Amino acid sequence: MSSPTATARAAGAPAAAPARRSGPSARAARPGRRRSSLAGLWFVLPFAALFAVFLVWPVLAGLWASFTDRSLASPGAEFVGLANWREMLGDSAVWQSLWTTLVFTAISTPPLVAIALAMALLTNRAAAGLGWFLRLSYFAPFLLPVAVVALIWEWMYQPGFGMVNGLLTAAGLAEVAWLTDENTVLAAIAVTTVWWTVGFNFLLYLAALQGIPAYVYEAAALDGAGAWQRFLRITLPLLRRTTGLIVLLQIVASLKLFDQAYIMTNGSGGPGYAARPAIGYIFEAGFTGLRIGYASAISYLLFAVIAVVSLVQFRLFSRKGETA
Amino acid sequence: MSAAIRTPRPPAAPGRPAPAAARPRRLPRPTPGGVLAAVLGVFLAVVWLMPLVWAVLTSLKPEAETTAVPLRWLPLEPTFAAYQAVIERGDLQRWLLNSVVVSVLVTALTLVVCVLAAYACSKTEFPGRSWLFALFVAGILVPPQALIVPLFDQMSVLGMVDTYWGVALPQVVAPVMVFILKRFFDAIPRDYEEAARLDGAGHLRVLWSVVVPMSGPVLAAVGIFTFVQAWNNFLWPFVATADPALMTVPVGLGTVQGSYGIQYAQEMAAAVLGALPLIAVFLLFQRHVVRGVTDAGLK
């Protein structure tokens, strides 16, 4: 059974061997000559211990805390049943912050996918001498710490001497109070986020594009397919799996919005809390309001949203994502 | 830079022509489409670089010039005064040191702990192996950001708030890395490992002398991504440290802005200095990053 794998390895494609994707069945297919031993247990122990202490335990403790009035200010805690959950359902700030998160996800994801694809297509077509310049320019912002990104963009959004408004006035348009207007603050943060993180998606798309063999296009060109046809009929379908992965990673990342929104509004949540995402509200309830129990309940609401979105997407894309 | 994106290894289709290798040999024939793509590509690149250029130019201005209306791109009197002021203040050096300590700690521990766990799940049998691995995979679904409050609560119980360990250890729990590494280890044929075992090598020996040398790119990728993530992490270090002496670069720059007043040149100088280490790391290891992305099957 090991010989096909060895061939794949010799062909230089360790990551592409399809048999490996189905973990349990591949394992079952191997002859079970390996003796069960405790050695593996020792190897897995350090990670398992950290996993238990810093992941499993907080997950369970948070669930328990959500049924108590536990506070950061006092040691004791009393069981309050569903009080936190009931309060949460009636707390408009919870729903506003969740709505803000969803709006941010909805406005940031499409450009983060489309611009990344455009960048990858342009780089893939570019003459060899230009490629490195495009790769560096598109990817560089991704390397910046969030605080640096936030500093640069806060500065660019400044009225009067900021670059964005400078360009607007140069074009004869009116200035916009980007970060201090309820209607623009979330969009301004979304633009910053797109600029900052699109490079990673670009890299994934570029790697996928370079994996498409040229003969596929040559064959299509012989059949008389134009550039647009080739893009629609070949490139897009072959990129479907990559697109699925990018969309999934992107939506989950956007649902966890906090850092840039917090820094760019100086922790205020923005005018009218228009830029306070779900994690922003959890942070406030827990660390400013000191209510661990209540913050935990909201955490679980967000956790549930993220888990449901991931699972739905995973099913959607694993069903039709067999190509490429 | 020209080798930044390595051609991904061909998906198992032996004997097919290697297009990317053949392309540079062909003389570039400028087609209208190619020219248009180049123009658009460069335009987009300029747009993407503009904020960075703007930040660097601002950092080179005397403070009085930074708020001039209408705005002016080039500094009239370029000066390193802002950099000097930031360096003399000393905060940034402290934050950089903290970031190095935390990121190196997180990266080293993640590599050791996750490689051991992935090896155990891939190459050994022990009671409960499959359910334990399933639990790890389920852990990928848990968003650490959403659990920030219970996690902090846990850390205060353990007395780890305001310590390097408190900042670093929760970041070491990266089930996705175990998953990626296990998938890679699974692809290593058993023959190698069995030959070593017949020669009397123990598991640690097999891991170190057989599996690790065959996993260079994926280990580099896991290491670099962990480092970048730890370096750029904001929320957890922000929550886990109240002591300014323990702040990392993102936390320091993100929260102590007030101490710079409205000295934009200094803010931008601090931003540029804070971004440099990671850009240097990336330039050093960029080949591995891109190859690792491909090899890790993220493509």
Side-chain angles (χ1 to χ4, degrees), chain A residues 20 27 53 57 70 135, chain B residues 5 41 129 153-154 183 298:
Chain A
R20 222 166 11 83
R27 204 188 313 135
V53 175
W57 184 253
R70 185 153 167 63
R135 282 193 298 266
Chain B
I5 308 285
R129 186 184 84 152
D153 194 27
Q154 164 91 335
R183 265 185 46 176
L298 272 175

Side-chain angles (χ1 to χ4, degrees), chain A residues 98-124:
Chain A
L98 204 59
W99 178 245
T100 301
T101 303
L102 293 176
V103 170
F104 174 81
T105 306
I107 61 177
S108 65
T109 303
L112 273 165
V113 176
I115 295 176
L117 178 59
M119 285 174 163
L121 289 168
L122 291 173
T123 308
N124 202 35

Side-chain angles (χ1 to χ4, degrees), chain B residues 260-277:
Chain B
Y260 287 92
I262 40 166
Q263 305 202 291
Y264 294 108
Q266 285 187 34
E267 276 197 0
M268 288 306 116
V272 170
L273 290 174
L276 278 181

Side-chain angles (χ1 to χ4, degrees), chain B residues 178-202:
Chain B
V178 176
F179 181 70
I180 289 174
L181 289 167
K182 179 191 179 279
R183 265 185 46 176
F184 197 88
F185 292 168
D186 281 348
I188 296 175
R190 288 184 64 192
D191 310 12
Y192 290 96
E193 164 207 344
E194 273 163 12
R197 303 274 312 182
L198 283 178
D199 288 345

